[in-house]
Amino acid sequence: QTSRGTKVVGIIGACSSLQKASASVSEEVEVGQGRTCAWQMSTLTERTTFGVYFDTCGVAQEGQERYLQFITSYQTPEGKHLLRVTTIAHRISPGGEPQHHVGNNVFDQDAAAVLVARQAVDMLEKNSNNVNEVMRWIDRTVINLVRHFGKYQPDEPASLRLESDFTLFPIFMYHLRRSEFLQIFNSSPDETTFFRATLIRESCSNGIIMIQPTLHSYSFHGPPQAVLLDSNSVLADNILLLDTFFDVMVHHGMTIAAWCQQKYHEMPEHEGFKQLLQAPKIDAEKLMHDRFP
């Protein structure tokens, strides 16, 4: 349920519509499974997530609060029937000017990127994998955001500036365009379906890793640090840990690999090298511990 002025546009996730109409449902816009305010799920766990989309209508006064209410009815493994009600309030900003929507982490770039990715996947499923059309939609989304919140001088591309709240979002969209969710070449239909089904059910943090994998470098020069997804990050004397969520890989530089072949890590005088080899393996095991599959 929603307060007046906020409409439910739809939901994207592992659920099915119950086709229940109400005053809270948007009749003009639909995303995912819309035109309803109730859905049915086969199962819910602590890892289950859904992307719920809303729209606003009418004129709101400054400082006014609007409400969203999620009513969840479920049965526990012990057979108990429970009802959980979660109410969320959000305050209306003073106006539509960009300065009222920046600063203090008002814009959650990770959540926005994952929601756009879920919507892109839903559009592909509904439009027979029309990747070019979805690509253009993603481009328009980034262009509209930059046009509204960016600062620039006309005809001077180098003058473009974005607040820190928005700098990562275009980067996420760049990686989304190149991801296996959109680029289905060399992937079987089963693989593509698996990738997309995983995206729409996993958490926001895991979704971001699927969109933009993480890469960490291990070396004798200091503690592990995040590095760019670039060939320049591959050095002879470092070890790289790549996490794409679906795969976790450890890469040894040429010098590290040569030392391993000479079994330096088995020599007592090279205990530091042994610890360096073990560090990415330990971190990789921690990453894979909570992953399914």
Side-chain angles (χ1 to χ4, degrees):
Q1 301 296 326
T2 65
S3 58
R4 188 169 62 177
T6 301
K7 299 291 185 179
V8 181
V9 175
I11 187 173
I12 297 179
C15 60
S16 58
S17 172
L18 292 178
Q19 300 181 353
K20 181 180 179 181
S22 76
S24 302
V25 176
S26 173
E27 298 295 337
E28 300 177 359
V29 184
E30 181 178 5
V31 175
Q33 299 185 58
R35 310 301 171 107
T36 180
C37 65
W39 300 268
Q40 178 177 291
M41 297 83 175
S42 59
T43 182
L44 286 174
T45 70
E46 65 275 4
R47 299 176 55 133
T48 306
T49 64
F50 299 92
V52 187
Y53 298 75
F54 299 90
D55 195 8
T56 57
C57 62
V59 179
Q61 298 179 353
E62 178 181 346
Q64 177 184 351
E65 288 189 342
R66 289 180 175 175
Y67 299 89
L68 312 173
Q69 189 173 79
F70 296 90
I71 304 174
T72 308
S73 176
Y74 62 98
Q75 184 178 8
T76 67
E78 293 77 18
K80 295 181 180 179
H81 291 270
L82 301 178
L83 181 68
R84 172 176 292 181
V85 180
T86 305
T87 304
I88 304 172
H90 60 102
R91 189 177 299 276
I92 304 301
S93 63
E97 294 75 11
Q99 62 268 24
H100 298 301
H101 302 274
V102 299
N104 300 321
N105 295 319
V106 173
F107 181 68
D108 190 331
Q109 302 180 80
D110 291 7
V114 172
L115 288 171
V116 169
R118 290 191 180 201
Q119 190 170 352
V121 166
D122 181 70
M123 293 170 65
L124 287 170
E125 295 295 327
K126 291 181 177 178
N127 298 325
S128 302
N129 282 319
N130 190 342
V131 176
N132 291 332
E133 178 61 31
V134 174
M135 289 282 199
R136 288 191 290 269
W137 174 78
I138 293 174
D139 292 342
R140 290 194 299 269
T141 300
V142 176
I143 291 171
N144 290 335
L145 181 138
V146 173
R147 179 186 298 150
H148 192 69
F149 296 104
K151 298 179 182 178
Y152 58 91
Q153 297 295 330
D155 302 322
E156 295 184 17
S159 66
L160 176 62
R161 296 290 183 273
L162 278 173
E163 296 288 344
S164 59
D165 289 0
F166 300 93
T167 53
L168 295 178
F169 184 79
I171 299 175
F172 291 148
M173 294 301 98
Y174 168 79
H175 288 283
L176 175 62
R177 288 171 53 93
R178 298 158 56 92
S179 69
E180 59 267 25
F181 307 117
L182 275 67
Q183 303 297 337
I184 60 177
F185 179 77
N186 204 33
S187 294
S188 69
D190 288 348
E191 289 177 314
T192 300
T193 300
F194 167 72
F195 292 144
R196 294 174 178 176
T198 304
L199 173 67
I200 66 173
R201 78 162 186 263
E202 282 293 336
S203 65
C204 181
S205 58
N206 287 338
I208 283 295
I209 295 175
M210 298 179 207
I211 296 171
Q212 181 178 344
T214 61
L215 185 64
H216 287 83
S217 173
Y218 298 74
S219 69
F220 288 115
H221 304 301
Q225 59 181 355
V227 293
L228 296 176
L229 292 167
D230 189 272
S231 59
N232 293 329
S233 299
V234 180
L235 302 176
D237 61 346
N238 75 344
I239 303 175
L240 295 177
L241 174 61
L242 176 66
D243 181 14
T244 70
F245 184 84
F246 300 106
D247 297 288
V248 179
M249 293 170 282
V250 177
H251 173 271
H252 291 171
M254 294 181 61
T255 302
I256 300 293
W259 289 348
C260 287
Q261 290 179 352
Q262 297 176 27
K263 299 184 178 181
Y264 281 6
H265 57 289
E266 298 180 2
M267 302 178 184
E269 61 269 26
H270 295 293
E271 181 66 23
F273 178 57
K274 179 180 179 180
Q275 294 177 359
L276 179 64
L277 288 179
Q278 291 176 342
K281 293 181 180 179
I282 294 174
D283 291 344
E285 290 175 356
K286 291 179 180 178
L287 291 173
M288 294 185 293
H289 181 264
D290 294 329
R291 300 284 172 83
F292 178 81

